């Protein structure tokens, strides 16, 4: 995980993790002392400290279910503006949309949250280039399904929620272990992390106080502006690839860098040109395939593939052929 000093985490979120770890009997005295010292005026801590905390916790135990145990202990209602916005949303769909808009207020890092309507329901995709330990994602995802169960007053199983994890099943754990914690169907080794709710659940009404949401959203937007920074090199590279610069030499030329310099700096940010290219091409493919008037041969050309290459890439990215995916996107 890169120690990027410009990224931060909410002190309240950090404190919640420290509290949960202490309840699990882990040694977090150093971090409790850190939280007891004077904080930054914006109530945030460097993301590097979040990484160091996780490294400390994982060094203390070989428990493959640590993230789930911490997620089960995580206290709901400690996320300030973000959670307040979600609780006062008009529908579950609106709440998931707001989480995608404002999650940076909890953990500000290089990741993207977006909603996709599928055949069976509404899916929140969590795509990140900052690879935390799998246990950290287990904890976050368990918080998400617990929150849904709480606000809707039904178990996750009754709601029909399903989720996908981008990491493999940890050694020493079983699918049964994960199902007991999450209470729903789980898929491992996915292209990204995701939570899916059935269409009926997505449109289920919540408290729905639009005036409150509007006022709090305005404040949240101001806080987001305070987090803004010049775009990281990885983001600029992804943007150029999505615009059509699909080889490393062309991207390096447009950024006025040598290829080796570009690759070295991307490595310092915790990624690589190959990873960024694959993610950017996948996003571009999804946009191009959503345009029914564009022939598949043209889509393949714009992505730098032969038609067979496009077919194989779509199978890898989406688990479907370009034609099937287009039919889904154009409904």
């Amino acid at each position: 995980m890169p120690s990027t000093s410009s990224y931060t985490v909410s002190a309240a979120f950090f404190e919640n993790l420290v509290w949960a770890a202490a309840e699990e009997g882990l040694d977090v005295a150093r971090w409790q002392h850190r939280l007891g010292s004077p904080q930054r005026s914006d109530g945030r801590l460097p993301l590097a400290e979040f990484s160091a905390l996780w490294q400390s916790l994982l060094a203390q135990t070989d428990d493959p279910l640590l993230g789930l145990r911490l997620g089960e202990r995580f206290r709901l209602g400690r996320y300030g503006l973000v959670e307040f916005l979600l609780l006062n949303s008009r529908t579950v769909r609106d709440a998931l949309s707001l989480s995608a808009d404002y999650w940076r207020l909890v953990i500000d890092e290089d990741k993207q949250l977006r909603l996709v309507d599928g055949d069976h329901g509404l899916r929140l995709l969590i795509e990140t280039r900052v690879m935390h330990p799998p246990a950290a994602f287990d904890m976050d995802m368990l918080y998400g399904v617990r929150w849904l169960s709480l606000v809707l007053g039904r178990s996750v199983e009754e709601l029909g929620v399903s989720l996908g994890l981008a990491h493999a099943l940890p050694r020493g754990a079983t699918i049964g272990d994960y199902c007991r914690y999450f209470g729903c169907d789980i898929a491992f080794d996915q292209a990204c992390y995701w939570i899916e709710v059935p269409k009926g659940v997505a449109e289920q009404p919540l408290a729905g106080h639009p005036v409150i949401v509007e006022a709090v959203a305005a404040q949240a937007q101001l806080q987001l502006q305070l987090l803004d920074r010049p775009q990281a090199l990885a983001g600029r590279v992804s943007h150029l690839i999505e615009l059509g610069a699909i080889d490393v030499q062309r991207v390096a030329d447009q950024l006025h860098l040598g290829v080796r310099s570009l690759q070295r700096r991307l490595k310092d940010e915790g990624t690589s040109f190959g990873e960024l290219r694959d993610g950017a091409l996948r996003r571009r493919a999804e946009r191009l395939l959503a345009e029914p008037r564009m022939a598949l041969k043209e889509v393949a050309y714009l992505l730098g593939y032969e038609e067979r290459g496009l077919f194989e890439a779509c199978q890898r990215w989406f688990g479907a052929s370009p034609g099937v995916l287009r039919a889904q996107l154009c409904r």
Side-chain angles (χ1 to χ4, degrees), residues 64-76:
L65 304 179
L66 176 62
L68 300 178
R69 298 191 192 283
L70 295 176
E72 190 174 50
R73 291 187 179 276
F74 231 55
R75 296 172 293 183
L76 303 179

Side-chain angles (χ1 to χ4, degrees), residues 164-237:
L165 304 177
H167 61 73
L169 178 68
R171 180 175 298 180
T174 68
I175 293 179
D177 293 330
Y178 272 75
C179 289
R180 280 193 293 274
Y181 276 96
F182 284 105
C184 64
D185 292 333
I186 304 164
F188 290 90
D189 293 308
Q190 299 293 288
C192 67
Y193 292 87
W194 53 264
I195 297 178
E196 183 172 287
V197 298
K199 292 181 179 180
V201 173
E203 306 309 328
Q204 186 166 331
L206 299 177
H209 298 290
V211 176
I212 294 177
V213 169
E214 184 178 355
V216 177
Q219 185 177 355
Q221 194 63 41
L222 289 174
Q223 290 196 14
L224 277 182
Q225 292 174 11
L226 295 176
L227 295 178
D228 284 340
R229 64 182 61 75
Q231 192 177 28
L233 179 63
R236 290 154 60 198
V237 169

Side-chain angles (χ1 to χ4, degrees), residues 23-71:
E23 288 292 298
E24 276 294 308
L26 298 172
D27 180 8
V28 289
R30 168 190 170 189
W31 311 104
Q32 290 169 327
H33 179 267
R34 174 69 179 88
L35 289 166
S37 63
Q39 302 292 315
R40 288 170 37 150
S41 59
D42 60 358
R44 305 188 69 81
L45 296 168
L47 188 61
E49 293 206 27
F50 181 73
S51 173
L53 171 56
W54 267 112
Q55 291 170 7
S56 172
L57 299 180
L58 292 170
Q60 296 179 50
T61 177
D62 295 326
D63 184 359
L65 304 179
L66 176 62
L68 300 178
R69 298 191 192 283
L70 295 176

Side-chain angles (χ1 to χ4, degrees), residues 57-104:
L57 299 180
L58 292 170
Q60 296 179 50
T61 177
D62 295 326
D63 184 359
L65 304 179
L66 176 62
L68 300 178
R69 298 191 192 283
L70 295 176
E72 190 174 50
R73 291 187 179 276
F74 231 55
R75 296 172 293 183
L76 303 179
R78 302 300 179 98
Y79 293 88
L81 288 177
V82 174
E83 202 159 21
F84 192 78
L85 279 169
L86 304 189
L87 290 171
N88 286 280
S89 300
R90 186 178 59 86
T91 64
V92 172
R93 177 186 290 273
D94 289 347
L96 293 176
S97 178
L98 287 169
S99 72
D101 290 339
Y102 295 110
W103 189 247
R104 284 179 58 206

Side-chain angles (χ1 to χ4, degrees), residues 125-305:
L125 303 180
I126 305 165
E127 302 166 309
T128 179
R129 299 188 185 96
V130 180
M131 293 311 298
H132 300 298
F137 289 107
D138 286 347
M139 182 188 73
D140 289 345
M141 299 294 280
L142 185 55
Y143 164 80
V145 297
R146 286 180 60 208
W147 184 88
L148 279 171
S149 178
L150 175 68
V151 298
L152 296 176
R154 287 186 284 164
S155 71
V156 173
E157 183 178 13
E158 291 173 325
L159 292 170
V161 172
S162 58
L163 60 89
L165 304 177
H167 61 73
L169 178 68
R171 180 175 298 180
T174 68
I175 293 179
D177 293 330
Y178 272 75
C179 289
R180 280 193 293 274
Y181 276 96
F182 284 105
C184 64
D185 292 333
I186 304 164
F188 290 90
D189 293 308
Q190 299 293 288
C192 67
Y193 292 87
W194 53 264
I195 297 178
E196 183 172 287
V197 298
K199 292 181 179 180
V201 173
E203 306 309 328
Q204 186 166 331
L206 299 177
H209 298 290
V211 176
I212 294 177
V213 169
E214 184 178 355
V216 177
Q219 185 177 355
Q221 194 63 41
L222 289 174
Q223 290 196 14
L224 277 182
Q225 292 174 11
L226 295 176
L227 295 178
D228 284 340
R229 64 182 61 75
Q231 192 177 28
L233 179 63
R236 290 154 60 198
V237 169
S238 293
H239 181 66
L240 288 171
I241 296 170
E242 292 190 53
L243 289 176
I246 57 177
D247 67 86
V248 65
Q249 184 64 63
R250 185 174 173 188
V251 170
D253 289 345
Q254 293 195 36
L255 293 172
H256 305 290
L257 293 171
V259 170
R260 289 186 179 180
S261 177
L262 172 63
Q263 292 172 330
R264 182 177 63 254
R265 289 176 59 179
L266 288 175
K267 183 178 180 180
D268 290 342
E269 291 188 11
T271 187
S272 69
F273 183 84
E275 291 174 353
L276 295 177
R277 182 181 184 274
D278 194 64
L281 289 179
R282 178 178 52 77
R283 292 189 295 273
R284 193 177 187 212
E286 195 168 9
R287 289 197 300 272
L288 293 173
L289 288 169
E291 174 50 67
R293 293 169 297 183
M294 184 173 289
L296 294 181
K297 184 179 295 186
E298 293 175 305
V299 174
Y301 174 79
L302 290 172
L303 294 173
Y305 291 114

